[in-house]
């Protein structure tokens, strides 16, 4: 996906990064470098080192490009998430080889990690049978449940500062997204004051959440790597935070079917039927997601209006959920 947040670097800078991380003997020829194009935020390169080993380089957006509030410091979040996951779970994630925050070789943070030789699940959905798709979704649910066993000391960003309550953290998060939209005058098709009113009217449901848990939040198909029908890695962790596990992407389709069937994921996760308060929270979390999807189109310079149009339809559907529940 093309986005102005992708901080592409010239070959000489990429070679300097390899030398700093792995030594001069591992610096490859230019033709050993290729961009991985399916990401939406950071630029990522697959690099074959001189020794033949393949690695991935991720570079954060350039500082001159304005990103959404929740995306600030995203690379630090990803590094913290990867460390937590490897230390406290058995969920497979790439090993980080080297990270540089000095801004000496380029204008942003960057890091190297292992290359996962597997298929991206997002590229397989059209060729999978329904049974194969359900099996992977069920396995994702089980992995996501394990991720959610990680406890935090606060709600909000992994690297802090945080909030003592989930209500405070979530209202800060969704409020920041709305502020981002107003700053760029993004048309939601709904008055911003009305959206804020809907959030305030249902915020009491957030008070049920009293223990901060690690939330991956971005575990969509494109962030899942599979080999021979098995999940071998979860990638792209820059949107993780401490919060309510019910906000995870795998639950989204339970309220808005356009995101896909959540039943296999929920079965693998091991959750029973949702209570009414949990369904209210799920609607708020769907609203948070679709506000981001709508507003980010003004920050990424995506070509055309396809992304915006799809998100606007989902926003209408999500707002209607609150009307029906009134």
């Amino acid at each position: 996906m093309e986005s102005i947040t992708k901080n592409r670097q010239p070959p000489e800078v990429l070679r300097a990064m390899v030398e700093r991380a792995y030594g001069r003997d591992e610096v490859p020829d230019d033709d050993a470098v290729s961009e991985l194009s399916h990401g939406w935020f950071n630029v990522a390169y697959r690099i074959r080192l001189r020794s033949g080993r393949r690695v991935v380089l991720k570079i954060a957006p350039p500082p001159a490009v304005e990103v959404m509030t929740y995306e600030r410091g995203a690379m630090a979040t990803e590094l913290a998430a990867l460390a937590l996951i490897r230390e406290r779970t058995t969920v497979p994630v790439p090993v980080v080889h080297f990270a540089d925050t000095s801004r000496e070789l380029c204008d942003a943070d960057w890091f190297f990690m292992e290359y996962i030789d597997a298929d991206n699940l997002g590229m397989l959905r059209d060729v999978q049978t329904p049974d194969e798709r359900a099996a992977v979704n069920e396995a994702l649910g089980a992995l996501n449940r394990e991720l959610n066993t990680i406890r935090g000391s606060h709600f909000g960003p992994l690297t802090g500062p945080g909030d003592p309550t989930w209500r405070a953290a979530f209202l800060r998060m969704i409020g920041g997204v709305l502020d981002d939209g107003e700053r760029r005058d993004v048309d939601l098709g709904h008055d911003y004051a009305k959206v804020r009113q809907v959030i305030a009217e249902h915020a009491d449901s957030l008070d049920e959440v009293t223990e901060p848990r690690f939330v991956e939040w971005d575990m969509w198909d494109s962030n899942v790597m599979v080999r021979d029908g098995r999940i071998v890695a979860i990638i792209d962790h820059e949107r993780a935070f401490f919060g309510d596990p019910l906000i995870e992407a795998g639950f989204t389709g339970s309220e808005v079917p356009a995101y896909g069937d959540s039943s296999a994921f929920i079965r693998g996760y091991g959750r029973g039927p949702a209570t009414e308060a949990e369904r209210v929270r799920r609607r708020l979390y769907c609203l948070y997601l679709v506000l981001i999807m709508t507003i980010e189109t003004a920050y990424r310079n995506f070509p055309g209006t396809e992304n915006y149009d799809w998100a606007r339809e989902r926003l209408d559907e999500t707002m209607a959920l609150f009307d029906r529940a009134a």
Side-chain angles (χ1 to χ4, degrees):
M1 171 61 74
E2 190 57 43
S3 169
I4 60 172
T5 60
K6 292 194 173 184
N7 193 358
R8 296 181 175 92
Q9 296 295 317
E12 60 271 18
V13 172
L14 299 179
R15 288 194 296 269
M17 290 175 170
V18 171
E19 181 173 351
R20 177 166 292 190
Y22 299 102
R24 183 174 299 178
D25 291 345
E26 286 283 30
V27 176
D29 298 326
D30 291 346
D31 61 3
V33 178
S34 60
E35 184 178 337
L36 298 171
S37 60
H38 63 266
W40 291 64
F41 187 61
N42 298 311
V43 68
Y45 296 97
R46 177 177 56 213
I47 300 176
R48 188 179 67 253
L49 302 178
R50 181 72 65 177
S51 63
R53 179 168 53 145
R54 288 181 291 179
V55 297
V56 171
L57 166 65
K58 293 186 74 169
I59 306 174
V65 172
E66 184 182 18
V67 297
M68 295 180 67
T69 300
Y70 86 107
E71 295 174 319
R72 297 169 186 167
M75 185 156 285
T77 296
E78 176 158 28
L79 290 169
L82 285 166
L84 279 172
I85 293 168
R86 292 193 66 83
E87 290 168 5
R88 303 195 194 179
T89 77
T90 63
V91 176
V93 295
V95 176
V96 174
H97 296 159
F98 183 88
D100 192 311
T101 60
S102 69
R103 308 288 176 92
E104 293 172 350
L105 298 182
C106 78
D107 58 1
D109 299 344
W110 51 274
F111 73 91
F112 280 97
M113 63 182 175
E114 70 172 312
Y115 171 73
I116 305 299
D117 187 10
D119 295 315
N120 187 288
L121 181 59
M123 307 298 288
L124 298 179
R125 285 305 194 186
D126 291 340
V127 299
Q128 286 181 313
T129 67
D131 286 346
E132 290 171 336
R133 189 157 52 249
V136 173
N137 285 340
E138 192 166 338
L140 272 178
L143 288 176
N144 209 152
R145 183 183 181 94
E146 185 177 357
L147 289 175
N148 297 152
T149 63
I150 301 173
R151 291 173 170 83
S153 60
H154 63 270
F155 289 99
L158 297 186
T159 57
D163 290 288
T165 68
W166 175 230
R167 183 202 280 238
F170 182 76
L171 293 182
R172 184 193 303 273
M173 291 159 61
I174 199 167
V177 174
L178 288 167
D179 290 345
D180 290 337
E182 288 180 312
R183 188 162 53 250
R184 290 292 186 93
D185 197 26
V186 179
D187 179 12
L188 301 179
H190 303 267
D191 186 79
Y192 277 80
K194 173 61 176 177
V195 176
R196 287 190 167 92
Q197 179 184 341
V198 165
I199 296 166
E201 288 174 349
H202 296 86
D204 287 353
S205 66
L206 302 167
D207 292 335
E208 278 193 352
V209 184
T210 59
E211 185 176 48
R213 295 296 186 105
F214 179 94
V215 172
E216 177 70 16
W217 194 65
D218 202 26
M219 197 188 288
W220 301 100
D221 291 355
S222 60
N223 292 332
V224 179
M225 306 300 292
V226 298
R227 186 188 308 125
D228 299 327
R230 298 180 58 191
I231 298 170
V232 296
I234 307 297
I235 61 173
D236 290 351
H237 306 269
E238 62 258 20
R239 288 167 174 77
F241 53 85
F242 290 122
D244 177 8
L246 275 180
I247 200 173
E248 294 285 21
F251 294 110
T252 307
S254 64
E255 293 295 330
V256 182
Y259 292 107
D261 184 358
S262 290
S263 57
F265 175 90
I266 294 172
R267 184 168 61 249
Y269 193 95
R271 283 194 66 92
T275 66
E276 185 52 37
E278 288 172 340
R279 293 200 65 189
V280 171
R281 296 207 305 276
R282 278 276 355 131
R283 293 169 194 148
L284 285 174
Y285 303 155
C286 287
L287 181 58
Y288 175 64
L289 171 64
V290 77
L291 286 172
I292 288 176
M293 294 176 72
T294 305
I295 292 167
E296 72 180 359
T297 60
Y299 285 81
R300 302 290 182 78
N301 253 8
F302 292 148
T305 64
E306 180 181 357
N307 294 87
Y308 172 80
D309 294 341
W310 191 90
R312 270 294 315 277
E313 289 183 26
R314 305 292 81 75
L315 180 54
D316 291 344
E317 292 171 1
T318 304
M319 289 294 287
L321 293 174
F322 294 100
D323 292 337
R324 291 199 294 270

